[in-house]
Amino acid sequence: MPEVAGEAALMIDPFDPESIAIAMYKIHQYETLRNELSERGYQRKDLFTWQKTADLLWESIEKTIKTG
């Protein structure tokens, strides 16, 4: 899910075993890559909070009510 992972993950084809294996190999072999992805993940987590989800849901509800 690129919209969630952003630059914090290696994108793969989930139906292609070779694509999965290559990504797993890269993460296992390259400590720098592994650390970068981990750090980016910690940064991205702040984009997805329960409060932000609730705020977006409420905005959607209000918009629906206003447009009837």
Side-chain angles (χ1 to χ4, degrees):
M1 296 177 56
E3 61 275 8
V4 174
E7 296 294 320
L10 299 177
M11 295 298 122
I12 53 112
D13 178 350
F15 301 105
D16 179 8
E18 185 174 349
S19 175
I20 297 168
I22 290 169
M24 291 174 68
Y25 175 81
K26 286 179 181 179
I27 290 172
H28 179 264
Q29 281 301 116
Y30 302 110
E31 182 178 6
T32 302
L33 173 63
R34 189 169 53 247
N35 291 338
E36 286 175 3
L37 293 174
S38 179
E39 181 59 35
R40 291 177 194 160
Y42 280 113
Q43 292 170 358
R44 285 198 61 79
K45 74 172 175 53
D46 295 331
L47 299 175
F48 305 97
T49 66
W50 283 112
Q51 186 60 52
K52 285 185 180 185
T53 300
D55 291 344
L56 289 171
L57 175 59
W58 187 248
E59 286 177 27
S60 178
I61 292 169
E62 286 182 324
K63 186 176 178 180
T64 302
I65 291 170
K66 287 178 185 176
T67 59

